[in-house]
Amino acid sequence: MAFMKSAILVCVTAVLTVYLPQLWTKALPIITAGTVQPGFEPVAKLFRENFENGVEYPTGGSAFSVYYKGSKVVDIWGGYADSEAGRPWKEDTLTIVFSATKGMAALCMAVLVDRGHLDYDKTVASYWPEFAQNGKEKITVRTLLNHKAGLSEIGANVTLLGDQDALGEFLARYAPEWQPGTAQKYHALSFGLYASQLLRRADPKHRTLGQFFKEEIAQPFGIDFHIGLPLELYHRYPRLSWASAYMWFKEAITSRLMRQFIWKRLMTGKLQAVFQPVQFNELMVPEILALEQPSAWGVGTARALAKVYGILANGGATLKGQRLLSEAIIKKVMDEVKGTPVGMDGSAVAFNLGFAIEKDAKRFGHPGLGGMHGIADPQRKLGFGYVSSFLSTYTTGRDHRFHPLLEETYKCIEKLEAK
């Protein structure tokens, strides 16, 4: 009887949550803008339809960008950076990309390897002696970057983020949760912290990862991405919104997997975990965003992600011959994928050298919480970037906003290449 009451309460809550807010929500004009090269018009059409058909959340904003053979071919955006203020998403609007930041951190490490300052197969302790504490002396750089070091449970301590020396001491003391190298578990928040501390020791200039990215990648290549958002750029940042019970139930209506997910929690009495709101309010504070958290707090545009991965997909160099990374290192990313894929958000994703690998599609990059995506396809010389201020229930697996755009882009390329 108690179970039936719980189930009825959940159903009533679902209806109220999904439909009542719509009665008071004032419809905003649909806004999309940007440019596409000839032949990619269907991508822009689908992007606008996503806003018209409710695929994109009406009060959020998003952007999608594609580089093909080194050239920008799609650069579109739409919706609102702040719907309450009526502020539309603009060409230069940037937003937090969560774990898609890890792809930029992995790139920094790859650049160091390319320059001979770091070796994937040497121990972390050979660069950072203090790291050898508590059974970590045999952990290699590769093991650390592949989420196999047993350091996955470390959270984000804002106080420590503001003191790199204290943070380094804390990370060095931390004892592994399992025998390093014997298992793999996603290092959600610790990945970038350890990468940055390692980079500080291996880099001849002893910079943090955020500083290294700015000086060696962002500035030389014109990449509008920041690991530690400068306060003077905060005016370009959107108001974040995130999936509540509304999105969970909207997804449950059409997703068999999500229906099973909710039913399982009904049966186990753990349904409250589904509805607990994620506390993202601190990520609206400029002083917090200014801190370096290379695991999850990178801020940038879809264009920035697409440009970086477009360069990597184009053999590591721009059309003008400016080299970001050698083809040999890029080949290592795809050719050395080993081990069992690690689960993220219910989906299996293989990791290698810090990048997330789609082995079947022969693509690499990194997704981020809420549906952020940065992807390189070296076979087709494609770089993709997608960001949004509305954080959906998707991280990996098929994203109803991003993946149709991805697929439409491939269709356009197939038609162009068939001519």
Side-chain angles (χ1 to χ4, degrees), residues 84-404:
E84 292 185 23
R87 177 163 61 98
W89 195 282
K90 297 181 180 179
E91 182 178 8
D92 67 346
T93 300
L94 39 71
T95 190
I96 190 168
V97 303
F98 296 100
S99 283
T101 311
K102 291 183 177 69
M104 302 299 101
L107 174 58
C108 290
M109 308 308 282
V111 170
L112 276 181
V113 171
D114 216 11
R115 296 178 182 178
H117 301 307
L118 190 67
D119 188 321
Y120 288 126
D121 294 312
K122 285 189 175 181
T123 64
V124 174
S126 65
Y127 303 97
W128 179 11
E130 296 82 3
F131 179 82
Q133 300 177 57
N134 293 319
K136 300 195 299 298
E137 64 276 359
K138 294 183 180 179
I139 295 176
T140 65
V141 175
R142 183 188 300 273
T143 299
L144 181 68
L145 297 181
N146 285 0
H147 301 265
K148 293 183 177 181
L151 306 169
S152 67
E153 296 301 322
I154 296 173
N157 187 308
V158 173
T159 302
L160 285 180
L161 290 180
D163 186 336
Q164 289 293 323
D165 291 334
L167 176 60
E169 292 175 5
F170 168 78
L171 295 174
R173 291 194 305 270
Y174 193 85
E177 299 137 25
W178 64 81
Q179 183 64 36
T182 63
Q184 187 178 45
K185 182 180 178 183
Y186 188 54
H187 289 41
L189 293 173
S190 61
F191 174 91
L193 301 180
Y194 275 104
S196 185
Q197 291 296 323
L198 173 57
L199 187 146
R200 288 180 70 199
R201 277 76 180 178
D203 173 33
K205 296 183 180 180
H206 305 295
R207 291 165 287 188
T208 62
L209 195 146
Q211 292 170 328
F212 184 93
F213 183 87
K214 176 182 177 180
E215 295 172 11
E216 302 294 340
I217 299 173
Q219 290 178 340
F221 291 88
I223 307 298
D224 193 6
F225 192 93
H226 313 270
I227 301 175
L229 181 68
L231 295 176
E232 62 269 21
L233 297 183
Y234 184 74
H235 68 281
R236 296 168 54 194
Y237 194 73
R239 180 189 296 271
L240 299 180
S241 56
W242 44 88
S244 61
Y246 167 81
M247 281 299 295
W248 284 104
F249 277 102
K250 184 177 180 181
E251 185 182 346
I253 292 170
T254 58
S255 170
R256 179 176 60 86
L257 181 64
M258 187 53 63
R259 286 197 297 272
Q260 292 174 346
F261 175 78
I262 292 177
W263 178 252
K264 181 179 179 180
R265 277 152 181 74
L266 266 174
M267 297 299 291
T268 59
K270 296 179 180 179
L271 189 62
Q272 69 276 9
V274 176
F275 302 107
Q276 289 176 350
V278 181
Q279 298 301 316
F280 290 132
N281 292 335
E282 65 271 19
L283 298 180
M284 291 297 298
V285 179
E287 290 78 11
I288 296 294
L289 292 169
L291 298 172
E292 289 188 27
Q293 206 329 353
S295 295
W297 293 2
V299 174
T301 63
R303 185 183 313 107
L305 292 173
K307 188 173 185 179
V308 166
Y309 286 115
I311 294 171
L312 298 180
N314 196 50
T318 67
L319 291 179
K320 295 181 179 179
Q322 185 182 11
R323 182 155 294 281
L324 174 57
L325 201 63
S326 71
E327 291 189 73
I329 296 295
I330 296 170
K331 192 171 186 295
K332 280 180 178 289
V333 172
M334 293 302 301
D335 288 352
E336 298 182 2
V337 180
K338 298 177 182 178
T340 304
V342 59
M344 282 174 55
D345 196 28
S347 300
V349 177
F351 286 96
N352 191 40
L353 307 181
F355 293 101
I357 313 296
E358 297 178 62
K359 296 173 69 174
D360 294 338
K362 299 187 184 303
R363 298 188 294 235
F364 71 91
H366 213 293
L369 179 73
M372 313 301 172
H373 293 274
I375 295 175
D377 180 345
Q379 285 195 319
R380 305 300 291 269
K381 295 189 175 182
L382 280 164
F384 298 92
Y386 175 87
V387 301
S388 180
S389 62
F390 179 78
L391 313 180
S392 80
T393 56
Y394 300 92
T395 296
T396 59
R398 183 174 176 80
D399 186 325
H400 66 302
R401 299 177 299 176
F402 167 71
H403 280 95

Side-chain angles (χ1 to χ4, degrees), residues 29-34 44 47-52 76-79 89:
I30 292 172
I31 302 173
T32 58
F47 184 73
R48 183 171 180 85
E49 288 173 351
N50 283 348
F51 282 93
E52 294 173 340
I76 49 182
W77 55 89
W89 195 282

